[in-house]
């Protein structure tokens, strides 16, 4: 039997349902546990649900181009996350919990209004790329 293919938007919608109390099926739970990439760039998303922690195998999360203004602390529970794309979001400050992203290698903040980063002593050893650039008017 062939497994159902889940679009990026369908995964996000499922996370919203879980946030509202929906109990995922075994198939949905298995999909969330094994998902490695979630590309939600330019989807006009207002928020990232706390249920993001359900994506236990996630390695890349792209939220670029969304009017998101904050990230949930539960993001830190994504212990395999290597790439976090936040360019062109409206996030003014990263939560301190991002310092617990031990596997993070790429953090893209290009054109995001972030003025300061939380201090993470291990990023010197793991973070290979930090992209940041202000938009010129």
């Amino acid at each position: 039997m062939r497994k159902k293919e889940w679009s990026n938007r369908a995964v996000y919608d499922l996370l919203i349902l879980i946030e509202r109390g929906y109990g995922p099926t075994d198939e949905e739970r298995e999909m969330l546990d094994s998902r490695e990439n979630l590309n939600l760039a330019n989807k006009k998303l207002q928020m990232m649900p706390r249920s993001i922690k359900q994506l236990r195998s996630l390695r890349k999360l792209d939220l670029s181009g969304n009017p998101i203004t904050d990230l949930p602390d539960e993001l830190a529970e994504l212990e395999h996350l290597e790439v976090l794309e936040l360019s062109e979001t409206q996030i003014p400050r990263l939560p301190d919990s991002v310092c617990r992203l031990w596997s993070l290698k790429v953090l893209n903040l290009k054109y995001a209004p972030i003025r300061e980063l939380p201090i993470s002593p291990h990023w010197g050893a793991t973070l290979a790329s930090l992209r940041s650039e202000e938009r010129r008017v």
Side-chain angles (χ1 to χ4, degrees):
M1 188 171 152
R2 193 167 168 230
K3 286 187 178 182
K4 175 183 174 182
E5 292 292 321
W6 286 79
S7 71
N8 290 303
R9 185 59 197 225
V11 172
Y12 177 81
D13 291 344
L14 178 59
L15 291 173
I16 294 294
L17 288 173
I18 291 169
E19 185 87 1
R20 294 178 181 164
Y22 170 77
T25 66
D26 289 342
E27 177 189 347
E28 291 166 338
R29 223 181 326 275
E30 181 183 333
M31 179 277 300
L32 292 171
D33 282 345
S34 64
R35 187 77 181 217
E36 292 187 4
N37 184 14
L38 187 58
N39 183 346
L40 296 170
N42 302 304
K43 301 289 186 206
K44 300 180 182 171
L45 305 179
Q46 300 291 320
M47 55 88 73
M48 178 51 57
R50 292 185 314 269
S51 55
I52 186 73
K53 66 185 179 183
Q54 301 288 321
L55 299 169
R56 290 178 182 86
S57 298
L58 198 65
R59 296 188 181 282
K60 181 177 181 183
L61 177 59
D62 189 346
L63 299 173
S64 299
N66 287 296
I68 292 173
T69 57
D70 64 349
L71 295 172
D73 285 334
E74 287 78 4
L75 189 72
E77 295 182 39
L78 302 177
E79 62 185 50
H80 301 289
L81 192 66
E82 296 176 358
V83 178
L84 181 55
E85 298 281 349
L86 299 173
S87 65
E88 299 186 60
T89 60
Q90 300 303 310
I91 299 170
R93 186 178 188 289
L94 291 177
D96 291 340
S97 60
V98 299
C99 292
R100 296 192 314 265
L101 292 171
W102 304 112
S103 299
L104 194 64
K105 294 178 182 170
V106 175
L107 177 58
N108 186 352
L109 304 171
K110 191 173 181 179
Y111 303 133
I114 295 173
R115 296 281 182 226
E116 64 182 68
L117 293 173
I119 298 171
S120 175
H122 73 276
W123 278 357
T126 61
L127 197 61
S129 177
L130 172 61
R131 296 182 213 132
S132 179
E133 187 175 323
E134 288 185 38
R135 189 177 300 276
R136 292 199 171 122
V137 184

